Amino acid sequence: MPDESTKDKSKAEVIAGTLNELNPEVKGGFHVPSCSISEFISNAVPGASTPQTSLTEYIKNQSNLTYPPSTVPTSSGATGTILLIGNDLPASDFLSLSKVSRVLGLPCILVRTYGMIGSMRIQSAKEQFTVLQPRPSTEKFDLRLNSTSLTPSSFPSLSEFVDRITARLKEMDVQQHSHVPYVALLCRAVKQWSEDKGSMPSTFDDKALFKETIKKESLNYNDELNYQEAVEKAYTAYAPDSGVPDEVKDLLESSNVNEISGESNVFDILLSSLKVYLEGNGGMPPLNGSIPDMTSDTDSYVELQKIYLERSAKDLKEFTEIVNSKVKEIGKEENHIPPATISTFVKNVPYLTVVPSKSYFDEMTNGPSDDDKEALMEQVWDPYEVFEHSPFLWWVGLKACEMHHIENNHWPGKDYEKDAESKKAEVDMLATTMLSIFEKYGVDVSDMEAEGEGVSKPVVAKIAEEMCRFNGAEMHNVGSVLGGVAGQEAVKIITGQYVPIKNTYLFNGIVGCAGVLMG
C-alpha cells in the first residue's frame, strides 16, 4: 500500500512498482509525460500541434513493443502486443483515447468507477473483433456419419473400418459386442437404411424406426452403453450435412472476403480460402480430427482416432495450399500466414466469431444506430427484478454524467451539498439529460411510477439524484470488481481466445447485479 515515502511520486510510478511485485516474470514500467494526460492522448491524432509529446511517439520508442501492430495472428490467435486501457479519465479524454485507438489500429478498454456504479467499454482496433479461438463450452464433433459423407470414395478409411469391425458383430462375445464404438454402429445403420429405403429418415416415424433398428441389433440394450450412445447420437447420422454454421456463411459473403487484396487482414484471407475450399468439397469444411469420448475397446478407439486425424491432416494440407495460393495472388510472401495460424483456423471453423464493436467516440458524437436502439429496448423488456436497479437505467445515468462532464468540465453534483435549491437544480439538470438520451433511443418515459414495466420520470429522478450524490467518487470495492472483469477481457483480446463482451459492461454495486449492453 502507498505510504509516506510515495507521496511525492506519481501515481503511475507507485502502481507500476506495486504491480511488479506480483509476478517477478513480468516487467512493467511507467511514463510521466511532460504535458497533461489530455494533451498526451490528443496529440496522437494526426495533425496535432505537438506530436512529439504523444502516445503514438511513446509507443514507437519502446523497444519491447511491436508497432505498428502485426496483422498476422500468433499461434494463439493474437494480432498484436499493444492494448490501450483508460481508467477513470475525464469523459473528454475517453473520447480522445477512443478516437486514437481507431486511428492507431489498437484495441482499447475504457473503465470507469462512479460511486457504486462501474462500467467497462471495450473497443476493437477496427469495427469488429475477430475471434479465432472462441473456446465454446460445448464442442461440435464433425464425424461425417450420414450417407452423403460416408462413401468409399469420400471417406474410404472410415468406410473400410466400419465394414471390417461390423462384419464380425455376430461372432463377438458379450464383452466385445458392448465395446464396438457407436460411430461404427451408426455408420452401419446408415448404410443399411440407405440401401433399403433409398434416403435417410426425414419424418418423425422414420427417425423413431431408425433408432429402433439400432436397438434390435444389441444383445441386451439396457446393458450395452455403446448402443445407448448410438441411439442418443442417431440425429448426427440422419441430419443433413450443413457444412458450416449460418453465422460462418454470413462471414463468407462479406465484401472483405470476396475482394481480398494486399491490404486484407489475415482473417479475411483465411475466410476467402475457406470459401474456395467449400466450393471444391461439396460445402464441407476441412475435418478438424477430434472425436468425442465413447464406450469402446482401446484398440478400436485408437484406430478410429487415427483415421480422423489422418483425414484431418489431408484436409489441412489441401486448405494450406489454397491459402498459399491466395497469399501469392495478393503479392505477399508464402509464409505471410504461419502454419500454426492456419491450423488453428481449421480447428475452429465451426466456432469462428466476429463481435461488432462500435467506438465510444462514434456513440457519443453520432448517437445511437437502429441496432443500438433495439438492444436497449431488449433491456427495457427484460429488466432486473427490481426495475430501478436494472443496469441499463444506470448506464443511461452514467452516460448523462459523461455528457455533463464534457460540456461543463466537472461531474454533476458539484453543488449537491450546498443547499436544497442547488441540489434540486443539479438533479433536475441531470434528469433532463437522461430523458433526452431515452428519447434518442426511442424509449418512452411515463409520468407515473413504474410498476415493473417501462421507464418513468420518478425512477429517472431517483437515479439522477444518486449519480449527483456520487459526484464522480471512485469506490475501492467497485474498482475491484471492474478491475477483475477488465483484466479478464484484456486477456481475451491479447490472446484472441474466448469471446469478448459486446461493447459495454455495467456493474450496479448497490445491489450487486450487472449487465452487458450494446452501444
Side-chain angles (χ1 to χ4, degrees):
M1 293 293 289
D3 52 32
E4 283 295 313
S5 64
T6 64
K7 66 179 182 179
D8 294 325
K9 297 180 180 180
S10 71
K11 190 175 182 180
E13 182 179 359
V14 174
I15 292 175
T18 304
L19 290 176
N20 282 334
E21 294 177 3
L22 296 177
N23 188 345
E25 300 301 318
V26 177
K27 302 301 179 185
F30 65 95
H31 174 67
V32 181
S34 57
C35 56
S36 68
I37 291 295
S38 297
E39 292 173 324
F40 183 62
I41 297 172
S42 60
N43 283 346
V45 178
S49 56
T50 53
Q52 67 276 10
T53 56
S54 71
L55 179 61
T56 308
E57 288 302 310
Y58 172 70
I59 292 173
K60 288 180 178 179
N61 292 329
Q62 301 306 299
S63 59
N64 61 325
L65 297 178
T66 302
Y67 187 83
S70 172
T71 56
V72 181
T74 64
S75 58
S76 67
T79 56
T81 57
I82 306 172
L83 170 64
L84 304 177
I85 301 177
N87 178 58
D88 284 325
L89 297 173
S92 56
D93 288 348
F94 269 10
L95 284 175
S96 297
L97 190 60
S98 171
K99 189 174 182 179
V100 167
S101 165
R102 287 288 167 89
V103 170
L104 300 183
L106 301 172
C108 78
I109 299 178
L110 306 176
V111 185
R112 185 175 306 289
T113 54
Y114 195 98
M116 294 301 291
I117 305 300
S119 77
M120 177 194 64
R121 175 64 173 264
I122 68 171
Q123 178 180 307
S124 64
K126 300 297 181 183
E127 295 181 352
Q128 59 192 22
F129 285 105
T130 52
V131 187
L132 283 180
Q133 292 180 276
R135 296 189 180 275
S137 55
T138 55
E139 186 174 358
K140 299 175 184 176
F141 294 100
D142 182 5
L143 299 176
R144 310 283 169 95
L145 300 182
N146 70 25
S147 58
T148 305
S149 299
L150 187 64
T151 62
S153 60
S154 62
F155 205 158
S157 54
L158 179 61
S159 183
E160 187 276 330
F161 169 80
V162 171
D163 290 343
R164 174 165 42 84
I165 198 170
T166 57
R168 299 185 294 106
L169 279 175
K170 292 183 180 180
E171 304 168 6
M172 294 179 179
D173 58 29
V174 174
Q175 175 70 12
Q176 293 171 327
H177 200 271
S178 62
H179 285 79
V180 176
Y182 83 79
V183 168
L185 299 176
L186 273 181
C187 288
R188 180 171 187 267
V190 165
K191 286 186 176 182
Q192 290 179 338
W193 183 279
S194 226
E195 291 170 0
D196 295 340
K197 307 290 184 178
S199 62
M200 291 306 296
S202 56
T203 66
F204 178 82
D205 290 340
D206 280 351
K207 291 174 182 178
L209 182 59
F210 179 77
K211 294 178 181 179
E212 195 60 35
T213 59
I214 297 173
K215 288 183 179 181
K216 289 179 179 179
E217 293 285 339
S218 65
L219 298 178
N220 185 333
Y221 181 72
N222 291 329
D223 291 339
E224 294 188 291
L225 293 178
N226 56 336
Y227 277 87
Q228 293 174 28
E229 290 171 356
V231 170
E232 181 185 345
K233 303 293 184 181
Y235 69 92
T236 62
Y238 52 67
D241 281 331
S242 57
V244 296
D246 290 341
E247 295 82 0
V248 178
K249 289 178 181 176
D250 291 340
L251 294 179
L252 295 175
E253 295 307 316
S254 72
S255 59
N256 291 341
V257 172
N258 293 310
E259 301 171 7
I260 64 167
S261 66
E263 301 300 318
S264 297
N265 63 43
V266 167
F267 192 73
D268 288 338
I269 296 172
L270 290 171
L271 284 175
S272 182
S273 302
L274 176 62
K275 189 170 185 177
V276 173
Y277 183 94
L278 293 174
E279 291 169 353
N281 288 274
M284 298 303 295
L287 203 65
N288 65 22
S290 61
I291 64 174
D293 291 334
M294 63 187 77
T295 302
S296 171
D297 64 279
T298 302
D299 290 343
S300 296
Y301 187 84
V302 170
E303 184 178 357
L304 192 63
Q305 178 72 87
K306 183 180 178 182
I307 288 169
Y308 278 95
L309 286 175
E310 287 178 348
R311 173 58 184 269
S312 173
K314 175 178 175 291
D315 290 356
L316 176 60
K317 182 180 178 182
E318 181 183 347
F319 181 76
T320 301
E321 289 172 353
I322 295 173
V323 172
N324 289 336
S325 176
K326 285 280 184 182
V327 167
K328 187 176 180 180
E329 284 177 19
I330 60 176
K332 298 290 185 180
E333 296 180 2
E334 184 173 331
N335 291 325
H336 176 64
I337 304 178
T341 300
I342 298 174
S343 178
T344 298
F345 179 86
V346 167
K347 289 177 181 177
N348 289 278
V349 165
Y351 320 111
L352 296 175
T353 304
V354 168
V355 181
S357 173
K358 183 177 181 180
S359 77
Y360 176 80
F361 180 85
D362 287 344
E363 177 196 320
M364 296 296 283
T365 55
N366 299 329
S369 65
D370 290 341
D371 288 341
D372 296 335
K373 293 176 183 178
E374 184 179 344
L376 189 64
M377 285 305 301
E378 288 176 1
Q379 297 282 330
V380 175
W381 295 330
D382 186 24
Y384 183 65
E385 56 191 28
V386 180
F387 189 86
E388 66 185 62
H389 288 303
S390 300
F392 80 90
L393 290 170
W394 296 91
W395 173 76
V396 172
L398 186 56
K399 190 179 177 73
C401 290
E402 292 181 327
M403 292 171 66
H404 184 282
H405 193 286
I406 291 171
E407 186 175 339
N408 301 286
N409 203 32
H410 67 79
W411 296 112
K414 182 169 68 77
D415 298 325
Y416 184 82
E417 300 292 345
K418 190 175 182 180
D419 52 52
E421 186 176 342
S422 298
K423 172 182 175 180
K424 184 177 184 306
E426 292 263 19
V427 172
D428 288 349
M429 183 184 300
L430 190 62
T432 300
T433 305
M434 288 181 65
L435 291 173
S436 70
I437 294 172
F438 279 121
E439 183 179 356
K440 288 179 182 177
Y441 278 81
V443 178
D444 293 328
V445 180
S446 69
D447 292 324
M448 302 300 292
E449 185 76 39
E451 296 182 359
E453 295 183 4
V455 182
S456 69
K457 289 183 179 178
V459 168
V460 170
K462 285 182 183 178
I463 292 173
E465 183 171 352
E466 281 297 293
M467 300 305 277
C468 286
R469 188 169 68 86
F470 293 151
N471 188 222
E474 299 176 24
M475 303 292 288
H476 64 280
N477 51 348
V478 177
S480 296
V481 174
L482 265 293
V485 175
Q488 174 179 283
E489 295 305 309
V491 171
K492 291 179 184 178
I493 294 170
I494 292 169
T495 63
Q497 300 182 38
Y498 299 97
V499 181
I501 65 165
K502 292 183 178 179
N503 288 0
T504 304
Y505 167 89
L506 188 127
F507 174 69
N508 178 353
I510 299 172
V511 292
C513 71
V516 175
L517 303 105
M518 287 285 287

